[in-house]
Each structure stands twice: as C-alpha cells, then as structure tokens.
Amino acid sequence: MIRRRFLLLLLIPAAGLAQPKLVVSEGTRLDFGRIYRGETIERTLTLRNTGTDTLVMGTIGVSCGCTGALASAERIPPGGKGEVKITFNSKNFAGPVHKTVTLHSNGDSSGATIIEFTATVVDEIGLSPQSIIMPDAQVGKLSTVTLGVTNNGMTPLALTGFRTQLKGLVLKLPPSAIPPGGSAEIRVEFTPVEPSPLLTDGVFVTTNNIRQAEVYIQVYGGVHPAKTE
C-alpha cells in the first residue's frame, strides 16, 4: 500500500513548484499608429514577473535591422518589474508595416514571448514614378523623363539640390517650395558619356524636410553606344 501511494505521488504534478512567469503589462500586440518616414519611434514596455521564482531573461530577437530592443535587467525577482525598450527606424519603409520582437526567458512555457507591433509609415515626399528608368539611352544623346513630386507633409517642401556619381545626369528641380498637399515636377535630363548595358545607379535629392533631408532615387536602364551616320 505504501509503494502504491508513492507511485501515485510521482504521477501528480508538483503544483507547488516555484515557477517564474513573464507578463508584458502593455500587452504583446501594439499599434504605433501613423508615423512619418524617417522618424524613429521608441516605446518602453513594463515586464512583470508574476511567478514565484526568479525570471531570467535571455537573448532578444528582432525581425529586421530596423528594429532594436534592450532589456533593463537580466533577472527579475518574483513580484518584481523590469523594462524593455523597443525602437523602430522608419527610414526605409512606406505604408503598413508589421514587425516582431522575441523575448527569450524562462518565464514562458515555450521559452519565448513574441511582441508584435504595427504602424503606417507616411512618406512626406511622394514620387511618381519612384525610380528613374532610362531603357534606351544613347551615348551623347539627351534623354529626358519627368517625375511627379507631392508634398504629403504639413509644411512647404523645398527641393534644394542633388548629387550623383552618374556622369551626364542632371535634375531640373522645382524653383519654388511646394505647399502642403501640392505637387510639382522634376525634369530629369541624361546625356550619357559611355555605354552601359546595365545601368544601376542613383541620385540623392536634398530637401528642407527635417525628417527626410535627402531622398534617394534609383536610376535603372541601359546606355547604347553612339550611332554612326
């Protein structure tokens, strides 16, 4: 009878065993809302150990290089609190985004707590099209395209200059500032100096926008040799 009771005790989970438990006070699904491209958003979340043993934080994983995360402490006692600061750099994004931060610890049965966040990145400087495409350029011959630029910001937008390593490329920028909600045109003039079967280059346009001091425009296409008469 004693042996049978001992076996039964082995089969019953140790309900009183000390266990840590990680709880994110603000929840694991966040919405950063509408942000302007180029902004870096920071959020500090509270980590609580609602268990009965010390919570040990491990590595923190992020879904891309645009996101950072740093915990305030490696160990949180029972009933204690810590913090994790999450940052998101919106420089290379436009439109809806969805990112994750993974907290590894002994406070979750799976070993990891996943925090998801969403945002809508608004590009204050809209370009149409977003790239300069020159598929049939010819050495010594002028080719032109036109880009539309829209000011989606709240203040007048001035395009103040440009720089590029692509020889023969010139941008004719709007002479006056573009009012909020307004549009203008950029005239692109390209007179190649040498042939290139695959053209992949770019141009930086400087602006007075504090969040987008420069706008990079990719240049694609190809340059044919000069035609002889």
Side-chain angles (χ1 to χ4, degrees), residues 24-27 30 43-47 82-86 115:
V24 182
S25 296
E26 293 79 5
L30 310 172
R43 293 288 186 275
T44 300
L45 308 181
T46 302
L47 307 179
E83 293 180 340
V84 60
K85 183 169 74 172
I86 297 174
I115 300 173

Side-chain angles (χ1 to χ4, degrees), residues 154-175:
M154 303 297 292
T155 58
L157 171 66
L159 305 183
T160 56
F162 70 93
R163 58 185 177 87
T164 181
Q165 294 183 343
L166 182 57
K167 295 179 180 179
L169 184 71
V170 177
L171 269 57
K172 303 292 187 180
L173 303 174

Side-chain angles (χ1 to χ4, degrees), residues 2-15:
I2 294 176
R3 183 179 179 183
R4 183 180 178 184
R5 287 180 179 177
F6 177 72
L7 290 174
L8 287 174
L9 287 173
L10 290 178
L11 295 175
I12 298 175

Side-chain angles (χ1 to χ4, degrees), residues 51-137:
T52 55
D53 198 1
T54 299
L55 173 68
V56 180
M57 299 294 298
T59 59
I60 301 178
V62 294
S63 56
C64 80
C66 62
T67 305
L70 180 65
S72 63
E74 294 183 358
R75 304 173 73 88
I76 303 175
K81 295 180 181 180
E83 293 180 340
V84 60
K85 183 169 74 172
I86 297 174
T87 60
F88 169 65
N89 187 338
S90 65
K91 179 180 179 180
N92 297 319
F93 296 88
V97 295
H98 175 270
K99 302 296 176 184
T100 59
V101 174
T102 304
L103 307 178
H104 297 278
S105 75
N106 65 342
D108 189 289
S109 59
S110 67
T113 301
I114 299 177
I115 300 173
E116 301 177 75
F117 68 84
T118 57
T120 299
V121 181
V122 178
D123 199 343
E124 288 188 79
I125 304 174
L127 294 174
S128 179
Q130 295 184 336
S131 302
I132 298 171
I133 302 176
M134 297 281 191
D136 299 311

